[in-house]
Amino acid sequence: MSVKYIPVQWVPTKYVYDAVLLVCVAVYILVFLRLGTPAADFTRPVDGAILRMRAFGTCAFLMLTLILCIGPLAQLDRRFLPLLYNRRHFGVLTALVALTHAVYVLNWYYAFSPTPPLEALFYSNTSFGQFLGFPFEAFGIFALVVLGILAATSHDFWLAFLSAPVWKRLHLLIYPAYLAVVAHILLGYLQDTKNPTFALIAGAGALGVAGLHLAAWARRPEKQASQEDWVEVPHWREIADGRARIVSLGGDERAAVFRGGQKLSAVSNACAHQNGPLGEGRIIDGCITCPWHGFQYRPGDGCSPPPFTEKIPTYRLKLDGERLFIDRNGYPPGTAVEPLAIPEGALR
């Protein structure tokens, strides 16, 4: 924690995360290069350079698919949260792998072009009015530019400089980039091969991403109002000790209802540091601890323990029979609110 902005520091977990990523990419590339030639079944002989560009291209697609699966998986099962917190490293490596694929393409197909390779790439195929033979390169270029922008702005500086809402909206471009990659594959790779294996893998990946997002959407926090400003907290009895349930208050506002022993407290779900999801964290040494960078807040008043000065809004809770409600009108950051005692036998 700090009383001022500090970038995310490197910790052993991040080193292990990055090492595993690098090893997996290296193993995939080596296996593809070893087994890719006999399994390719291309309509034309496959040169080594073509095989390498295929290896890096398919690797980038699979990595992007996994990146988009991490978010909904973390919403469905907390055990995937460590993958989520370091996902930006995954994205940067994906952009580098995709760039390597693009470099191989330029150096192989346009190395002897009388015009600069990049210019030749744009003008070599302009058949936009047909399906078969459509210039699939445009989709790949778009996806690569988006991945480059997201990788370049993945550092904490840009999150603080742009503000969390703007940064989040910018990084939602990952979804149109993924659709562009799928189109790039379907209109490019599949036109030059008779083997449907990768077509099936690409289709399964896209369906998997869509299915997981739908499943996470179905499990989103419910919002039910009672007496105008009170929102029901769903399944509150299932909150584990030291954990929280995230509740939508309408619009983009969310609160986190934490259980500490036999008491419940509600605070804003957004960390004062960089809008980290406090509801995905836990109570450590009596303080709500942000899962992103470890900033801490007391459950009763939303204040960081001295000498730190960060504060977050707090909310009132009330029990109505067996139903728990939260007041959608939060108190100013740092306002003390008496935790709500849980009646004996109310928890499962």
Side-chain angles (χ1 to χ4, degrees):
M1 292 181 59
S2 173
V3 294
K4 62 180 181 178
Y5 169 80
I6 57 172
V8 178
Q9 303 298 314
W10 283 83
V11 295
T13 301
K14 294 185 182 293
Y15 286 113
V16 173
Y17 190 98
D18 289 355
V20 171
L21 285 178
L22 290 171
V23 169
C24 289
V25 169
V27 169
Y28 177 87
I29 298 297
L30 292 174
V31 171
F32 192 100
L33 295 178
R34 175 62 65 89
L35 304 178
T37 301
D41 191 24
F42 290 100
T43 57
R44 298 190 298 271
V46 179
D47 185 89
I50 295 178
L51 192 62
R52 288 191 289 275
M53 71 178 69
R54 304 286 188 186
F56 281 95
T58 57
C59 184
F61 169 75
L62 294 175
M63 293 173 71
L64 193 56
T65 300
L66 290 175
I67 287 173
L68 291 180
C69 288
I70 290 174
L73 283 173
Q75 294 182 49
L76 296 170
D77 191 327
R78 288 179 177 273
R79 289 174 292 183
F80 290 98
L81 286 174
L83 299 179
L84 179 67
Y85 301 147
N86 299 296
R87 186 170 56 172
R88 282 182 281 178
H89 292 213
F90 205 158
V92 171
L93 183 58
T94 301
L96 293 175
V97 172
L99 179 62
T100 304
H101 165 73
V103 170
Y104 272 119
V105 170
L106 289 175
N107 289 341
W108 175 251
Y109 288 109
Y110 304 98
F112 299 102
S113 171
T115 57
L118 191 58
E119 182 180 346
L121 175 64
F122 282 100
Y123 289 102
S124 61
N125 184 1
T126 57
S127 303
F128 291 96
Q130 60 185 31
F131 179 74
L132 292 178
F134 186 91
F136 63 91
E137 298 89 349
F139 293 106
I141 293 170
F142 170 77
L144 183 62
V145 169
V146 170
L147 290 176
I149 292 174
L150 300 190
T153 59
S154 65
H155 194 272
D156 279 347
F157 165 79
W158 291 103
L159 179 59
F161 178 74
L162 296 174
S163 78
V166 174
W167 187 88
K168 180 65 175 178
R169 292 186 180 95
L170 175 65
H171 281 248
L172 287 176
L173 287 173
I174 192 70
Y175 291 100
Y178 185 71
L179 292 176
V181 170
V182 172
H184 180 70
I185 293 170
L186 294 178
L187 295 173
Y189 178 90
L190 298 181
Q191 291 181 11
D192 197 38
T193 178
K194 297 178 291 184
N195 191 330
T197 301
F198 193 70
L200 296 174
I201 294 175
L207 290 175
V209 170
L212 283 172
H213 278 76
L214 287 174
W217 177 83
R219 288 277 302 274
R220 72 194 187 286
E222 303 172 9
K223 66 175 180 180
Q224 298 177 351
S226 173
Q227 298 176 357
E228 298 181 353
D229 291 331
W230 292 92
V231 178
E232 184 172 2
V233 180
H235 313 297
W236 67 273
R237 294 182 185 83
E238 300 174 8
I239 302 176
D241 191 11
R243 294 289 188 175
R245 179 166 297 281
I246 300 173
V247 184
S248 175
L249 302 178
D252 294 330
E253 295 297 321
R254 285 174 171 78
V257 179
F258 276 88
R259 175 190 162 200
Q262 290 297 116
K263 293 183 178 181
L264 296 170
S265 299
V267 298
S268 170
N269 188 52
C271 178
H273 176 216
Q274 291 181 359
N275 280 20
L278 289 177
E280 295 178 7
R282 57 195 178 99
I283 296 178
I284 299 177
D285 296 330
C287 289
I288 296 168
T289 304
C290 180
W292 278 11
H293 310 126
F295 276 61
Q296 292 186 309
Y297 309 91
R298 294 190 297 253
D301 58 12
C303 296
S304 296
F308 308 105
T309 58
E310 289 80 13
K311 299 177 182 179
I312 55 175
T314 54
Y315 297 85
R316 287 190 300 161
L317 294 169
K318 73 172 183 178
L319 276 171
D320 184 1
E322 296 184 351
R323 303 168 70 188
L324 177 67
F325 292 90
I326 180 173
D327 185 353
R328 69 171 76 245
N329 301 309
Y331 288 107
T335 302
V337 176
E338 184 67 23
L340 180 66
I342 303 173
E344 291 294 332
L347 296 173
R348 295 178 181 177

